[in-house]
Amino acid sequence: MGFYQLLTTYQEVTGSDYFSSVKKRDIETILQKHSLQPLDFLALLSPTAEEYLEAMAQKAHRLTIQHFGKTILMYTPLYLSNYCTNQCVYCGFATHSGSKRKQLTAEEVRQEAQAIAAAGFKHLLILTGDAPKIASVEYLEECIGILRSFFPSIGLEVYALSTEEYARLIQAG
């Protein structure tokens, strides 16, 4: 079942009504579970769960160590474009920020990749603002095509894409 289908099964659930039904015993039971269900996560966001923050943090820590070990993955970000159509109050990319706008050319992407790789980084995170008409999927594909020869791992932090667009970027490397 996809996320949207799962979400629609809970469309009648309202946060305040659900939160008022959560009891301490529910939280204690959830914290003992091996696998959580969607409503369990919602219960852990309830005011009742507030006094269990330390227990939640300890469980999260145990699970993180269990799944990932004591590993730290170092990556470096590469901002391909700072054009953005949004007006987020907290963000320097926002349309009202007054920032000078820039999108890297293919040659600039190559130069940045060479410098980052020479510094020893193997994992790269590429970022853009929310401006798909400027930093298009085609542009991202071109950049990934350049970057994949320098980095074995490339992550994305870009505007929302369709499943097909994500598939294109995966195919690009």
Side-chain angles (χ1 to χ4, degrees):
M1 175 183 303
F3 177 76
Y4 180 75
Q5 290 81 15
L6 178 65
L7 182 63
T8 60
T9 64
Y10 296 103
Q11 64 187 3
E12 301 300 319
V13 176
T14 62
S16 59
D17 289 343
Y18 185 74
F19 286 168
S20 66
S21 72
V22 177
K23 307 295 181 235
K24 288 183 177 185
R25 185 169 188 220
D26 298 328
I27 302 300
E28 292 165 358
T29 300
I30 290 167
L31 289 174
Q32 298 305 313
K33 287 183 173 183
H34 177 69
S35 180
L36 303 184
Q37 299 302 311
L39 288 177
D40 294 335
F41 288 105
L42 185 58
L44 294 176
L45 295 174
S46 72
T48 304
E50 189 171 350
E51 70 182 75
Y52 295 90
L53 287 176
E54 182 60 31
M56 285 189 268
Q58 288 178 14
K59 182 171 183 160
H61 178 72
R62 282 192 309 274
L63 289 171
T64 300
I65 297 298
Q66 177 184 332
H67 291 287
F68 303 107
K70 293 184 177 186
T71 305
I72 297 174
L73 175 66
M74 296 293 292
Y75 68 87
T76 191
L78 175 59
Y79 291 84
L80 299 175
S81 175
N82 70 348
Y83 286 92
C84 190
T85 58
N86 290 327
Q87 297 181 29
C88 304
V89 174
Y90 57 85
C91 183
F93 283 10
T95 57
H96 64 275
S97 71
S99 298
K100 183 178 177 187
R101 303 299 171 168
K102 170 80 174 150
Q103 180 164 296
L104 299 180
T105 66
E107 183 53 34
E108 289 170 324
V109 169
R110 185 178 317 285
Q111 290 171 1
E112 292 293 323
Q114 287 171 335
I116 294 167
F121 285 95
K122 303 284 186 222
H123 307 283
L124 188 72
L125 177 66
I126 58 175
L127 302 100
T128 69
D130 191 351
K133 290 182 180 173
I134 297 171
S136 66
V137 171
E138 293 78 17
Y139 170 75
L140 295 174
E141 284 176 312
E142 178 184 13
C143 292
I144 290 169
I146 294 166
L147 296 168
R148 71 177 177 208
S149 63
F150 293 92
F151 305 99
S153 171
I154 301 171
L156 293 172
E157 194 170 303
V158 299
Y159 50 87
L161 300 169
S162 68
T163 302
E164 294 78 22
E165 290 169 326
Y166 277 116
R168 285 176 60 182
L169 296 183
I170 290 168
Q171 185 65 33

